[in-house]
DNA sequence: GAAGATTGAAACCTCAATCTTT
DNA sequence: AAAGATTGAGGTTTCAATCTTC
């Protein structure tokens, strides 16, 4: 943690400097007589040809009220033309006019010139580092922001139906349907009671409720329990699945850590798991966490559809 | 140039993403109930102990009107206390109160946590790249912004006195005073007439006038002329000096390029120059531009104080 | 007059409320 | 009621004008 802090402080400082230098806080650029948001909007519309106005808030990461005002101004300046959608009279489809395309070309040239001038004094290696660093950090911040909207907690009785749906939705995505897969287990319908024992546990990942939404939606889960027909010291990591929206956010790692912790507290000495070779993300996670591949399965789970087996000490 | 554009477009995209993700556009952070600028102001005051309010615009890179309003709010919230300077009743010296120090501690912890969370999912190499990239780009943008406030043009008669002052100020900074140095040359007092010949040229670097300032202030210069007692094909790069404010911005490179160009047009075949070993930045520039060191001087410049000689073909 | 600081007007952004169409 | 879009109120920022002190 100390090591990390050594990087955090200078990074925060560099971020502040960078944002100021990029001038995103300035209202209007004198060369283009447009704010950054207006430019960004023109660029996004240009890049997509035609954009529903309802998409703009996501693309620009601005409030819909702001994008509404931006569109109003761009229309009044004659750079954007809106037509209502043929399917839905509420929706407005935005496209650039001829003048708009000319303007966005000018905006691009100006921006390219400015960035080029700054890069000019750098070596090839430095330019490479700048680009990589910016991209990595932007992605990391996005992941972290998205991660923050989810929570992990032990499963409750009320999650029963949602967990069943989760398992029955995700497994077939990887071709795991029919006999020989965990999807056929009787416990799927009542995971809460199946994992409430002293030496078992099941955790769920829930999405924070947005305004007016149903709260506590289950979007992932995973747990552990004694390995069927295994010895007393061996548990199995079971039914760890996530909907696509939570993948790649590092939540699998956190859930796995909780399972490892729980298994240790339940006095298990080894954790075993069965999965599919084609579940690449999952297998990479297991391998990062010290799981070693086995040639043959342990115990008698009855999941003869699985083709990949791992174990690690606790 | 095409190569460079390949990097410019993704870099501009990454910049937009990054700024959005960093949330510098959001007004207020819910955790701290403070805007980024307010936090930044607290941090800067904390880091320096006591700050004249007049320094804040530079530190935060905001308008003085904005910083004035920020200070007003921080004072009314009891985090900052101002006292008038003992030397100057106009100036206000800002310091944190006890409550202010507590608040800035909280702000730091929150910000560190957020950044740490984002960095957590990265490898050591990736973290390194992020930090390096951000720092390099921030510095490059700063250089480029500062560079844009200067211009290079051929010397005019009216620059005479300013150029003489430039030479007489910069040379002694490197210990080059007294006989044996160019500073004693008679031409120093009238560089304009000394370099108006057909095979000579002198360029000046001028600072753009800010509001209400004298325009066209000379902050650097350099030129070329036939080498004294040299052959017809050899010219000398002469009296290239810059005030500290323009150093490190790549302007030396631009001025040198103009001199090389001018010398070629004047049908010179070689450019020679004399300098001092201790002028590291200058020598690095010459070496980057293909100048090779000589053991002994060429011609008879009379500058026996110089200890470093270079030449290159044109 | 110049430097330090404040104040008024206007641009940009967000949140919340509202209007229109489905 | 819900989704697309707009409008009103308030915070942040800049530019320009102003006030105070040197």
């Amino acid at each position: 943690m100390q090591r990390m802090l050594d990087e955090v402080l200078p990074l925060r400082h560099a971020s502040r400097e960078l944002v100021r230098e990029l001038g995103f806080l300035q209202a209007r650029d004198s060369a283009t007589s447009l704010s950054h948001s207006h430019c960004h909007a023109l660029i996004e519309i240009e890049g997509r040809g035609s954009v529903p106005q309802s998409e703009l808030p996501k693309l620009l990461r601005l409030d819909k009220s702001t994008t509404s005002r931006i569109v109003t101004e761009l229309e009044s300046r004659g750079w954007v033309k809106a037509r209502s959608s043929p399917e839905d009279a509420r929706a407005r489809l935005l496209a650039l006019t001829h003048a708009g395309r000319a303007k966005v070309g000018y905006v691009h040239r100006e921006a390219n010139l400015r960035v080029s001038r700054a890069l000019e004094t750098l070596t090839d290696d430095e330019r490479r580092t700048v680009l990589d660093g910016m991209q990595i950090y932007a992605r990391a911040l996005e992941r972290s922001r998205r991660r923050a909207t989810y929570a992990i907690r032990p499963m409750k009785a009320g999650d029963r139906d949602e967990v069943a749906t989760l398992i029955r939705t995700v497994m077939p995505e990887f071709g795991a349907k029919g006999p020989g897969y965990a999807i056929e287990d009787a416990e799927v319908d009542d995971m809460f009671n199946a994992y409430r024992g002293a030496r078992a546990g099941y955790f769920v990942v829930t999405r924070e409720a947005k305004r007016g939404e149903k709260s506590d939606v289950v979007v992932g889960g995973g747990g552990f329990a004694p390995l069927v027909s295994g010895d007393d010291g061996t548990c199995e990591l079971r039914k760890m699945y996530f909907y696509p929206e939570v993948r790649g956010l590092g939540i699998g790692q956190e859930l796995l850590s909780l399972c490892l912790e729980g298994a240790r507290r339940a006095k298990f000495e080894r954790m075993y798991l069965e999965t599919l070779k084609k579940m690449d993300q999952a297998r990479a996670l297991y391998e990062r966490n010290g799981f070693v591949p086995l040639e043959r399965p342990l115990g008698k789970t009855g999941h003869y559809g699985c083709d990949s087996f791992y174990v690690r000490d606790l």
Side-chain angles (χ1 to χ4, degrees), chain A residues 16-252:
Chain A
R16 287 197 297 267
E17 291 293 310
L18 188 58
V19 171
R20 300 278 175 204
E21 288 297 344
L22 284 168
F24 276 81
L25 306 177
Q26 255 101 59
R28 244 156 220 246
D29 183 81
S30 53
T32 58
S33 80
L34 279 174
S35 76
H36 273 92
S37 298
H38 288 68
C39 290
H40 193 172
L42 286 175
I43 290 169
E44 291 292 346
I45 297 172
E46 182 210 26
R48 277 152 232 269
S50 166
V51 179
Q53 184 171 327
S54 55
E55 290 288 309
L56 273 187
K58 240 171 301 172
L59 293 175
L60 309 183
R61 220 157 294 153
L62 290 170
D63 191 80
K64 61 179 174 169
S65 60
T66 310
T67 55
S68 168
R69 285 182 242 255
I70 289 173
V71 169
T72 303
E73 171 156 359
L74 295 179
E75 275 187 279
S76 82
R77 295 236 227 163
W79 292 324
V80 164
K81 189 125 182 69
R83 59 187 175 85
S84 39
S85 161
E87 294 120 31
D88 187 337
R90 292 171 304 179
R92 286 156 55 81
L93 292 174
L94 307 175
L96 294 186
T97 62
H98 186 75
R101 279 189 293 277
K103 184 71 182 177
V104 81
Y106 177 73
V107 166
H108 270 305
R109 279 191 299 279
E110 280 293 316
N112 287 342
L113 197 61
R114 190 175 338 196
V115 174
S116 298
R117 282 218 185 97
L119 295 183
E120 234 162 39
T121 56
L122 301 179
T123 66
D124 286 355
D125 274 354
E126 286 175 324
R127 281 205 292 274
R128 189 79 237 152
T129 302
V130 165
L131 180 56
D132 288 348
M134 301 277 291
Q135 288 177 334
I136 293 170
Y137 196 31
R139 279 199 302 268
L141 286 166
E142 190 207 349
R143 267 203 305 275
S144 161
R145 173 174 56 78
R146 286 173 50 208
R147 165 66 187 88
T149 60
Y150 301 100
I152 307 180
R153 59 162 173 77
M155 181 180 182
K156 295 179 193 166
D159 302 323
R160 228 183 49 158
D161 295 348
E162 283 183 274
V163 170
T165 305
L166 167 74
I167 296 170
R168 295 214 165 91
T169 307
V170 176
M171 290 196 68
E173 184 191 328
F174 293 92
K177 47 190 157 188
Y181 290 110
I183 193 169
E184 298 275 312
D185 295 353
E187 67 178 32
V188 169
D189 278 316
D190 190 1
M191 293 290 288
F192 178 68
N193 281 306
Y195 288 79
R196 67 193 303 187
R199 298 192 82 201
Y202 197 85
F203 300 93
V204 292
V205 180
T206 59
R207 191 198 311 132
E208 233 180 46
K210 287 177 211 159
R211 306 174 48 69
E213 263 178 28
K214 177 171 174 307
S215 76
D216 236 24
V217 186
V218 172
V219 292
F224 66 95
L227 174 61
V228 176
S229 303
D231 64 70
D232 245 29
T234 306
C235 68
E236 186 189 1
L237 182 72
R238 279 158 76 161
K239 298 192 170 57
M240 190 153 115
Y241 300 111
F242 303 96
Y243 286 129
E245 70 172 283
V246 276
R247 293 177 198 163
L249 302 182
I251 290 191

Side-chain angles (χ1 to χ4, degrees), chain A residues 174 237 240-242 247 252-253 256 273-294 305-312:
Chain A
F174 293 92
L237 182 72
M240 190 153 115
Y241 300 111
F242 303 96
R247 293 177 198 163
Q253 175 65 63
L256 176 56
L273 68 87
E274 301 181 334
T275 185
L276 297 176
K277 285 216 193 305
K278 65 162 60 162
M279 297 182 100
D280 294 318
Q281 261 189 303
R283 288 193 307 109
L285 171 66
Y286 302 140
E287 289 171 16
R288 269 202 308 278
N289 279 269
F291 282 88
V292 288
L294 294 176
C306 290
D307 56 6
S308 192
F309 321 95
Y310 288 88
V311 74
R312 68 158 277 183

